[in-house]
Structures are given as structure tokens and as C-alpha cells.
Amino acid sequence: MNNNLIKRPKLNRMNSKGLISASLKAAMAFAVLLCTTELLFAEGSHHLVISEIMAINENTLQDSDGDYSDWIEIYNPGQQAVDLLGWSLSDDPDKPAKWYFPSVKLNAGAYLLVFASNKDRIAASSELHTNFKLSGSGEYLGLYASDRSLAFNYGEFFPAQNKDVSYGLLNDINVYFEVPTPGQANSTAGEVLAPNFSFERGFYHEPFEVALSSAQDNIRFYYTTNGTAPTIKEGTLYTTPIAITTTTPLSVIAVNSKDSTSKVVTHSYLFTEDIRNQSNQPEGYPEVWSTSMYSKSRLPADYEMDPAITKDEAYKDLMEATLMAIPSICIITNKDHIFSLVSNDDTGGIYIYTGKSGDGSMGLNWERPTSIEFIDPQTGKNFQTNCGVKLHGGNSRVPDNSQKHSFRLIFRNEYGASKLHFDIFDDQRNPSNEFNTLVLRAGYNYSWTKNSKAQNVKADFIRDPFTKNSQLDMGQPSAHNRFVHLYINNLYWGVYNLSEKITDDFMSNYMNGNEDEWDVVNDHSGTVDGTRNIWNTMVSKSASNMASNEAYQKFQGNNPDGSPNVSYINYLDVKNFIDYMLLNFYIGNKDWDGNNWLAARNKVTTKHGFRMFVWDAETSMINLNENIVSMDDGEPTKIFNRLKENENFRLLVADRIHKHFFNGGALSPEATAERYRALANEIDLAIIGESARWGDYRRDVDNIGDGAQLYTRNDHWLPEVENQLANYLPKRTDIVFKQLKAIGLYPSVNAPLFSQYSGKITEDLDFSMENPNTTGDIYYTSDDSDPRNTNDEISATAQLYTGNLTISGKISIKARVKTSTKWSALSEASFKGDDNGQVSSPYVELAQISANCSPNPVNTHTTISYYLPQKGATNVAIYSVDGQLLEMLYSGEQSEGTHHVQWTPKGLTNGVYFTRIEFKGYQKTEKLLLMQ
């Protein structure tokens, strides 16, 4: 590894040597040998460039379908026209021929627009569309010549993009364009472009010098290195490259001859040795954070990375890996915005005047401008944007309770982009990639900074993200989250959990509808967005004779028979509500339901009722035998207890218990252990950084009495993780199941057992059911309906199970056991089909063409070898340069794997021909040069 721990491209025209090497490895794996010569290409044809792209097109340019698709602009700066037949575009360096151009002539000095829409259209006379989209978070994008050589790319990947802002070349430098110019020459339209940095943000080992540049003339730069936003008056004029010798936030503006300025751009340079040796009194930072109006005493500040950890034999060699194990977020701002001791709404520090939620204390709603950067050392991806920052939380704001506070990031036009566009949670379940607000959760209850020895020793930092991820795994919406290291002005601040915030923006992203259509309510009669009017009505109606099936069905917007009725308001998504309650019962949530819940509903439509969302579930998974299934404290539990009066509701609860507690369901022992272990693995190394930063706080800075100690990964965190995996998770499911059954929420009739509960059916499957009861019959459906109707009768679509079933394709089986008077819970099995033979990724690779052409002109035939990703209908043909079919070499169904077809040319003159492989709607064309 060289001085730069993660080798990253500069934001200009890239040397693609490394990427070419990666592509060659993939090409060698497929043994790609194309039969072409340099004579096939016009001189200079490899100089085609991707001159402009737009990866987040919301209002700029519509395609012929009226969609705002991503787009790519190709430019020919050469002196001759180029035929693009055989050229390709790809967003994957390992698949350089992902999408092929048809025969399109691109004249010298001309532009060609291609929509990156995933619509895959290649008719030469029509609008072109690739078979992939562009990622607004930045990704690889390459243009390849017909010999598969790389003609142009943006390096390892182009950077994160902004809505309706394009990115491309200006004077051979890659820049952002606030005014896009698809199909035309790129220009700045009078704007001052952001500066370019010669070194990318990230982690480094050795000192270096940063050169600043611009694609525009007569530009000067002003910079700061202390977190303050630079101005002409406050910044340092750039004259020579800037020496970076230590961890540094470099903030820069570009200024033109009229003193107009660009936006501020910040690059944080992080040196792991500096971070591990972070002192307890950085120059210019206060010695205390809290003030007398919030604390019993003026509690001292704490900045140090404790040498007892960073130099300990168990951890010292892991510190670099610790800091690189998860992504980092850097908050860069004027230090007074965070730490000023001035008691002023505009100039006070938000970490000093923390505000106390609910009492209007000073600082509660203070918001300060900041730059934030996201740096992922594992992928090299990053972004920087300007936004607002404020403290987040309730009791965790009180300095006596904890000095590690949570933050909220707010994206608004007054700071920069109105939304953040980035795939922050791209490895999770269907996440959004645009955000108005994000929360950096510090961890409060059951953390090492909480003012409770009993909680400190049981800290695992996993309980809240585990609960959110569990709700997602139950098939319900919930806030996506991930762990990050946080830096404030490049001072390391510990491990945080970055989470979506449940707001009208969140609901619009996941549930559709405009933001202003949503009511989002929470505990303590609170309102996040909209009003509580419909929620209050719903709570009131839940108290009105829910034992009546008519009232229960109308409460859900249904007719008494359970069918939808548009004239009734749907107040509550009952399945979502039951899953939410079961999850809180499972974790034994002790800081709920008077606290820490949210609910949301679209107030414009009557179709969907309120959905519930878990939030701040840190005080959970403590007592293995905790029993809260009969709790009746806050509004959620009161609603639940009222609905329990209804027989249909009780059986639906049983159905959801059976779905989630058994057969590998989301709350089964095996699923919960896998989910918890994944989170523990995520921070297994990162937690060492948390220990060095905050593990000594209660011992050294604010000793809370005898027994306070240095909290470490090996002595405290690992034992608690192992305790959860060995004791809580294997046993908790059965304990809660028995608690629920004891209060009549699971019937005495056992649900049917299936031979298989899920999978992909590629051929007929022998499927069986078993009745575990001594009496009763199994009734089932295969159309996703319930075998039991809302009147407690056998449904019209149900069938009596009499023996094994032969099932195929995509199918859902639902079954219950019915005795003379009772039904069991519902057993469900869901199977995927073989996708009707469609290729999940329509990618056909020509493995080899061994032809009678240079360098082997003596051959009498051409062998065309190709690889098919799966079985399917295949055509292999030879075409002339004007598109006429000359010979069909093969037509029929072929198996997955490599195939060989021979072509013996007859009666043809020497010259250029084409072989085309057609496979399930996908075409692949390659040139052949005939030399006899």
C-alpha cells in the first residue's frame, strides 16, 4: 500500500491503466479474442469522449416516453466521422460490452445523446437507451471502441451527483454544470465553477501538497484549514500548492475577476497517526462543554483518544484498521458554531447550549451551517455537500446524562442542495437515495457515556439498529441505518449510527404521495409533520366496540365482509400494527410506549391506515424473561388491547406470530441471531475507536462512583455480544410466544406443517402438508387468499388437502387446520418461479472468434465461440455491412455454457462482415475482417 491508503482518481481526465488491467483480467476469463485490425477504425476514432452526463435528472430533459431518464452525451472531437457500430457503454469495468451502439454515424464535432434508462433500445433511427441507469452516488462509466479498448472513462468512478446538475468536460477538466447543455458544447453560463483539488478527500499516511485548479480563466482561490468557511476577507489567497502534513479540513472558494464566488468545497484529509494520538486539549477548543444552567457542575470537555487503548498491546496494531472499518462522516464548520460559550441564539455553540427537549431551554432549535463529507475507505466512494446541523435527542442532550450528543443533518436550498442524493444505504433492503434529513445517533442508553454503571457494562450499541432492521425483515417499512465514524472539524468523535428520520419526506420516498399529504405523529401528543387530527379520531374510534366485526372492518376501511369500501376511512394498517407490537414485545422495550414511537398516514387517501415505526429502542433486550405483552400505558398498547376484543384480530395476531416466530421467520432464533451477528461484525473493529474516544469518560472525566472503569472491546463489548447470541436470542422467541399464548393470542389448534416454506421452483415440486393435531382438516389456497373468510367460514377459494401437491412456477400456498369449532394460525409458503426463462442479466459473452483473417489468413473457416448465461433460444447469423442477412449459422435452443459455430465463407469478397448472436431479445454484434 502506498502513501495514499486508498488509491483514488483525481477529478480530471484519468489515466485508466489500472482499470484496463482489471478489464483485461475479465477478458482473459472469457478468452475474448476479437478478429479485427487497426484498419477497421478511422484515425482518431478512439478520441471519442463522454463529454457530459446527468445521473439525477428530475426536470431537465425528457425522453420520448416523457420520462426524465439519466443521459450520456458522446462527443467526437476528431477530424473524421466515426461509425459507432460495435462501440459500447458500460457501468461495470468487468463487463466492457454491457450495451452496444447500433450503426450510427457520429460526425466530427458532433454530439450524440444516449439515455441511460435501462430501457435498452438500439434502433439506429430512433432514440437510444442503454440497458442500465446511472447512479447519483457516483459509479464507473466507460466508453469502449469496437475492439473493446477503453476510449474514455471518468476513472474508477465519477463522483456523487446533484439533482439537475450535469457533470463533464470543460477544457479537459471534469466539472459540474449548473446549466446542463445536452447535445451542445459545454459552457458555464456565467457561473463560477467549484475548484478542483489535486488530491481527493480521504485517509493518508505521508505529507503531500494540494494544487488547486479551475476549468475557467482568471480564477483565484481562497482557503481555510480550521473549519471556517473561506471568504475573500477571511480566507488565505492561494499562490502555491498547499502543504498537508497533518489531519486537515481544507475548505476552498473560487473567485473570478468580478469577485463572484463559487460555493465552498471542503476536502478532509485524515491521517490515522494523528487521530490515534488526538490530545485532550486541541488548540482553541474549550476546556468545558456544559454550563451551570444545564449541569450540576461545569463538566470538563473530553477530546482525547485514550493511550490506554491506542497503545495497548491488544489494540495498537488494529487502530488503522479500526478507523477504516466503516465509513466516516466529517462535520466541518466554524468551531464556534459547535463550541462557542456565548449565550446567543446566533453565535452560541450547539454543543454548549444543548437545550432540553420539552422545556424550551436555550439551544434547543439552534441550527448552524456546515459542510459534511462521507468517506468510505472500503469502496473509495465519497461526497461533500453543505447543509445545516443541529443537536438531536431528548434526555441525551443533558450534559450530566451524557457528553456524547446526537446530531441532525438538514438539507435545504439556503445551504446548498435541497436534498442529499446518495446511495448511503445501498447494501440494505430497498433504500431511498434522497434525503431531507438524516440523524447521527450517538447511542445514549446502554452506552459507555450514559450516567449509569449498570448500563455501561451492558453496552453493545446494537439494540436500536437491530430493532429497525428487524422491522424491515418483517416486511414493514422502517428507517434504514448504518454505522459510521464521526469527525467534528477532523477531531474524532466516535462511532455513530447514521439513520433516516421518519418524516413526511421519508413517507413520500417510500409510500409515495407528496410530502404535504402526510401526517406524521409521535409520542407525548407530538406532531412531526402535518396534524394529529386523523390520529386522534382513530384513537377515539378504536374505543368503540371493536368486538363487533362490522366496527372492526369499517375501522380498516372495509365492508363488514372484509372487502374494501372506498367510502370508509382506513384508520390503521392492522398487519403493520401487529408486526410493530410483536417486535416491541419481543425486544421487551422498556422505554416505550409512553415514549419512542412514530406513526404516519397519507391524509389525502382513504386507502391506507396509519403505519407504525420503531424508534430509539436502546432500552431493550435486557431481561430474557421481560413480559410486556399486557402493557396498557401509551396509545399503541391501548389501541392493541381494544382490538384484542375482536376474534378476527386475535386470529390475525396468531397468523403474524406464526409467520415471524417459526420456520425461519424474522423473529425466529436463527433469523434474529443472524441479524444481530451481522451488526456486531459491522462494528467489530470500529468499536475499538469508540472505546479509545469514550470508554474512559466515566472513569477519567466524570467519575460516577466506585466501579467506573475503562470500557473496552475485549473486556466489555464482546462479552455482551456473546451473551446476547448465547442467551437472549436463542431463548427469547419461545418465551414471548408462551406469553402471547397465555393471554389468548394464539389458538390451541396448531398450524399445518409444510415440507418447504420458500425457494425457487425450476421444475415441478412435490409439496406436502402435515396436520400436527389429532383432529381437524387442512384447507389451503394457492391464489394468495385466506382459506378462512371473515365470517369464520371456509372461503370460496379454499380446497381440502387430501394428499401431496405438484406445484410449479411462482406460487403462494396458504393453509389452516380447521377443527369443528376452531381455526389454526395461517401457514404460508411462497415460491419464486424460474422467471419464465428470462435472463436476469442479459449478458452474452463472445468467448472467442478464430477466423480466417489476420493473423491467420490461411484458415478456411471462422469459428465463433460464445457463452450463454442460461438455457434459451439462440440465433447466430452473418450480416453484410449494410445489414443484409447473409447466412443463418444456427437457430434453436441451446444450454448454458460455451458454444462453437463455424462459418465457411462462400462467394464473398474480402472485407468487413458482422456476426450477430441473438439470445432472448438481446443482441451481440462483432466485426469480422475476411481475408482469403
Side-chain angles (χ1 to χ4, degrees):
M1 189 174 289
N2 60 18
N3 291 343
N4 186 352
L5 299 186
I6 301 296
K7 186 67 176 177
R8 298 181 180 83
K10 302 174 186 179
L11 297 184
N12 52 23
R13 186 70 180 274
M14 300 307 305
N15 180 336
S16 56
K17 181 178 179 181
L19 289 171
I20 291 175
S21 297
S23 297
L24 282 176
K25 290 179 182 177
M28 290 171 65
F30 288 105
V32 178
L33 296 173
L34 302 182
C35 180
T36 54
T37 74
E38 292 183 1
L39 296 177
L40 290 175
F41 306 105
E43 183 179 356
S45 66
H46 282 68
H47 293 163
L48 298 186
V49 299
I50 300 174
S51 51
E52 190 176 7
I53 64 170
M54 179 169 284
I56 307 174
N57 179 19
E58 292 196 4
N59 297 292
T60 300
L61 181 67
Q62 289 180 301
D63 63 21
S64 58
D65 298 325
D67 298 326
Y68 287 97
S69 299
D70 304 339
W71 50 264
I72 301 168
E73 179 188 79
I74 311 298
Y75 173 57
N76 180 2
Q79 301 300 312
Q80 299 182 30
V82 177
D83 187 344
L84 290 175
L85 182 65
W87 284 64
S88 60
L89 286 166
S90 180
D91 62 350
D92 184 345
D94 293 329
K95 293 182 179 179
K98 190 167 184 179
W99 180 83
Y100 275 98
F101 286 88
S103 181
V104 175
K105 185 178 181 181
L106 186 59
N107 292 324
Y111 297 87
L112 175 67
L113 205 64
V114 181
F115 284 99
S117 65
N118 203 32
K119 297 178 182 179
D120 196 10
R121 297 175 185 172
I122 56 173
S125 59
S126 302
E127 194 175 74
L128 300 178
H129 290 253
T130 66
N131 56 0
F132 60 86
K133 296 181 179 181
L134 301 180
S135 169
S137 299
E139 65 173 341
Y140 178 80
L141 179 62
L143 173 66
Y144 295 85
S146 54
D147 65 352
R148 300 230 186 153
S149 62
L150 180 64
F152 181 91
N153 70 5
Y154 288 105
E156 187 178 354
F157 44 75
F158 59 80
Q161 302 293 298
N162 297 313
K163 182 183 73 172
D164 293 323
V165 174
S166 65
Y167 180 79
L169 289 170
L170 183 67
N171 298 327
D172 290 327
I173 295 177
N174 289 332
V175 300
Y176 294 96
F177 298 101
E178 295 289 337
V179 181
T181 56
Q184 303 175 39
N186 295 341
S187 65
T188 61
E191 65 180 298
V192 181
L193 296 177
N196 284 68
F197 294 63
S198 62
F199 280 78
E200 187 56 89
R201 60 181 59 86
F203 289 86
Y204 291 84
H205 274 146
E206 302 293 338
F208 55 91
E209 292 185 339
V210 176
L212 303 176
S213 62
S214 174
Q216 297 170 301
D217 296 328
N218 300 318
I219 296 294
R220 61 192 193 275
F221 307 101
Y222 292 86
Y223 68 92
T224 61
T225 57
N226 62 358
T228 302
T231 64
I232 295 175
K233 292 183 178 181
E234 300 295 331
T236 299
L237 177 65
Y238 171 81
T239 55
T240 59
I242 304 161
I244 304 296
T245 61
T246 186
T247 292
T248 304
L250 178 58
S251 300
V252 183
I253 57 169
V255 183
N256 66 12
S257 58
K258 297 180 180 179
D259 284 351
S260 297
T261 64
S262 71
K263 67 178 182 179
V264 178
V265 178
T266 300
H267 275 48
S268 286
Y269 301 114
L270 305 169
F271 290 72
T272 54
E273 278 302 303
D274 290 344
I275 298 165
R276 72 187 296 165
N277 293 319
Q278 189 169 298
S279 73
N280 201 35
Q281 191 52 61
E283 184 178 353
Y285 286 79
E287 297 180 2
V288 296
W289 289 338
S290 53
T291 64
S292 57
M293 66 184 297
Y294 297 113
S295 301
K296 300 171 185 176
S297 61
R298 292 176 64 82
L299 300 176
D302 181 28
Y303 303 95
E304 184 184 47
M305 292 287 279
D306 196 324
I309 299 296
T310 61
K311 296 182 179 180
D312 185 271
E313 287 297 322
Y315 306 115
K316 66 179 184 179
D317 293 335
L318 296 174
M319 290 308 301
E320 183 174 292
T322 290
L323 298 172
M324 309 275 283
I326 57 177
S328 293
I329 283 187
C330 300
I331 292 176
I332 307 298
T333 187
N334 186 318
K335 71 175 183 296
D336 287 344
H337 291 158
I338 309 294
F339 299 111
S340 169
L341 296 169
V342 177
S343 58
N344 181 281
D345 288 354
D346 298 319
T347 59
I350 63 174
Y351 219 85
I352 306 300
Y353 300 95
T354 59
K356 174 64 172 68
S357 198
D359 68 3
S361 296
M362 186 177 294
L364 178 60
N365 293 310
W366 288 1
E367 183 175 315
R368 302 293 183 246
T370 189
S371 160
I372 65 159
E373 295 164 273
F374 176 93
I375 301 170
D376 188 347
Q378 301 302 314
T379 66
K381 287 194 173 183
N382 66 80
F383 71 78
Q384 183 270 333
T385 191
N386 299 320
C387 65
V389 63
K390 62 194 304 184
L391 284 198
H392 175 88
N395 286 328
S396 63
R397 292 170 175 262
V398 178
D400 293 82
N401 293 346
S402 174
Q403 284 281 42
K404 184 187 178 190
H405 301 309
S406 298
F407 295 93
R408 191 182 307 173
L409 304 174
I410 303 100
F411 305 97
R412 281 202 287 265
N413 285 327
E414 65 186 89
Y415 302 114
S418 59
K419 287 180 181 285
L420 172 66
H421 291 82
F422 195 81
D423 292 318
I424 290 178
F425 310 109
D426 58 352
D427 60 342
Q428 299 182 27
R429 309 151 197 81
N430 302 315
S432 175
N433 60 4
E434 59 177 53
F435 313 94
N436 279 352
T437 306
L438 290 170
V439 175
L440 284 159
R441 292 180 53 84
Y444 172 53
N445 289 300
Y446 291 90
S447 72
W448 290 331
T449 55
K450 180 73 167 71
N451 58 337
S452 165
K453 287 178 292 184
Q455 291 197 21
N456 300 152
V457 296
K458 292 185 70 64
D460 68 353
F461 303 91
I462 293 174
R463 293 172 173 91
D464 180 70
F466 171 85
T467 305
K468 292 189 178 83
N469 290 358
S470 296
Q471 190 170 33
L472 287 166
D473 283 351
M474 294 172 82
Q476 301 296 347
S478 195
H480 296 81
N481 66 97
R482 72 181 303 173
F483 289 105
V484 297
H485 289 302
L486 180 65
Y487 296 83
I488 300 177
N489 282 359
N490 288 352
L491 292 172
Y492 179 64
W493 223 254
V495 173
Y496 277 68
N497 186 248
L498 181 67
S499 173
E500 294 177 287
K501 190 174 187 296
I502 308 299
T503 63
D504 54 6
D505 170 61
F506 175 94
M507 300 308 300
S508 179
N509 285 341
Y510 291 101
M511 307 295 158
N512 301 319
N514 297 326
E515 292 179 19
D516 59 5
E517 295 177 3
W518 288 93
D519 288 332
V520 184
V521 302
N522 59 358
D523 51 71
H524 301 290
S525 301
T527 303
V528 178
D529 293 299
T531 72
R532 289 182 66 91
N533 296 340
I534 299 178
W535 172 266
N536 291 337
T537 302
M538 186 269 290
V539 173
S540 176
K541 284 189 173 294
S542 70
S544 59
N545 190 25
M546 282 294 116
S548 160
N549 192 54
E550 180 176 0
Y552 172 67
Q553 293 298 338
K554 287 182 178 180
F555 185 69
Q556 301 172 75
N558 296 331
N559 284 301
D561 63 1
S563 62
N565 188 320
V566 295
S567 64
Y568 296 143
I569 293 176
N570 185 351
Y571 287 103
L572 187 66
D573 184 326
V574 174
K575 283 185 180 179
N576 165 274
F577 179 66
I578 293 172
D579 286 358
Y580 169 83
M581 299 300 290
L582 292 178
L583 178 54
N584 280 286
F585 295 156
Y586 173 87
I587 64 174
N589 197 340
K590 294 296 288 182
D591 196 13
W592 170 88
D593 69 319
N595 299 320
N596 299 323
W597 59 263
L598 295 109
R601 181 188 183 280
N602 189 308
K603 57 193 172 190
V604 175
T605 178
T606 61
K607 185 177 181 181
H608 298 293
F610 274 100
R611 295 179 176 95
M612 304 291 300
F613 298 87
V614 293
W615 189 260
D616 195 5
E618 295 170 343
T619 311
S620 61
M621 301 173 66
I622 309 301
N623 178 3
L624 176 63
N625 295 299
E626 190 72 63
N627 188 342
I628 61 172
V629 299
S630 297
M631 190 165 67
D632 193 43
D633 293 345
E635 288 176 313
T637 51
K638 290 184 182 301
I639 295 168
F640 185 79
N641 289 327
R642 293 163 182 172
L643 292 176
K644 276 193 319 189
E645 300 172 4
N646 186 272
E647 180 183 4
N648 280 312
F649 179 80
R650 291 196 300 273
L651 191 56
L652 183 58
V653 173
D655 295 346
R656 305 309 286 180
I657 293 171
H658 191 76
K659 178 180 179 66
H660 297 308
F661 282 46
F662 301 102
N663 306 311
L667 298 182
S668 65
E670 55 268 39
T672 53
E674 181 181 358
R675 187 179 310 121
Y676 186 92
R677 189 178 290 108
L679 289 165
N681 290 340
E682 187 178 347
I683 58 171
D684 181 54
L685 280 174
I687 205 68
I688 298 172
E690 176 73 11
S691 172
R693 182 66 180 84
W694 294 106
D696 65 344
Y697 183 76
R698 290 298 171 187
R699 184 194 68 177
D700 297 343
V701 181
D702 183 36
N703 194 307
I704 58 175
D706 294 339
Q709 54 198 300
L710 174 65
Y711 296 104
T712 71
R713 171 188 180 270
N714 293 352
D715 294 337
H716 300 93
W717 183 80
L718 275 177
E720 179 58 20
V721 168
E722 291 165 359
N723 172 61
Q724 297 284 21
L725 289 169
N727 297 310
Y728 192 92
L729 298 169
K731 304 171 185 176
R732 181 62 178 170
T733 301
D734 185 60
I735 289 171
V736 179
F737 171 70
K738 290 175 179 176
Q739 292 171 353
L740 293 164
K741 191 171 183 178
I743 61 172
L745 290 178
Y746 199 86
S748 58
V749 181
N750 294 313
L753 304 175
F754 291 170
S755 58
Q756 188 172 332
Y757 288 87
S758 63
K760 183 177 181 179
I761 300 178
T762 57
E763 55 187 27
D764 288 350
L765 176 68
D766 185 41
F767 180 81
S768 64
M769 307 182 214
E770 179 185 344
N771 182 0
N773 306 280
T774 56
T775 61
D777 296 308
I778 298 175
Y779 290 90
Y780 73 94
T781 63
S782 57
D783 61 356
D784 206 33
S785 64
D786 194 327
R788 170 191 177 273
N789 65 27
T790 57
N791 293 320
D792 205 33
E793 300 168 343
I794 302 169
S795 74
T797 58
Q799 301 178 63
L800 176 66
Y801 176 73
T802 57
N804 289 12
L805 307 175
T806 300
I807 61 177
S808 61
K810 182 179 180 180
I811 192 170
S812 174
I813 304 292
K814 294 184 177 182
R816 296 183 191 271
V817 173
K818 185 181 188 302
T819 65
S820 59
T821 59
K822 292 186 178 296
W823 288 89
S824 75
L826 186 70
S827 286
E828 300 180 63
S830 180
F831 298 95
K832 298 178 181 178
D834 63 356
D835 302 320
N836 297 318
Q838 295 301 308
V839 185
S840 59
S841 178
Y843 181 64
V844 183
E845 182 63 46
L846 274 172
Q848 184 174 5
I849 298 178
S850 177
N852 58 329
C853 62
S854 178
N856 298 299
V858 297
N859 287 356
T860 60
H861 64 267
T862 296
T863 299
I864 302 164
S865 300
Y866 51 93
Y867 173 81
L868 301 180
Q870 61 177 234
K871 181 180 179 181
T874 308
N875 295 326
V876 183
I878 301 296
Y879 288 82
S880 65
V881 290
D882 58 1
Q884 293 185 3
L885 175 63
L886 299 179
E887 186 176 354
M888 181 65 70
L889 303 181
Y890 180 85
S891 181
E893 188 168 84
Q894 291 184 312
S895 62
E896 175 186 353
T898 301
H899 300 270
H900 312 279
V901 176
Q902 287 191 351
W903 174 46
T904 303
K906 296 178 180 179
L908 297 177
T909 60
N910 290 348
V912 177
Y913 298 89
F914 297 93
T915 179
R916 177 181 296 169
I917 302 174
E918 297 176 342
F919 178 73
K920 295 188 175 181
Y922 180 76
Q923 295 182 348
K924 185 171 184 62
T925 303
E926 291 293 345
K927 289 182 181 179
L928 298 173
L929 179 61
L930 179 60
M931 297 174 63
Q932 300 185 90

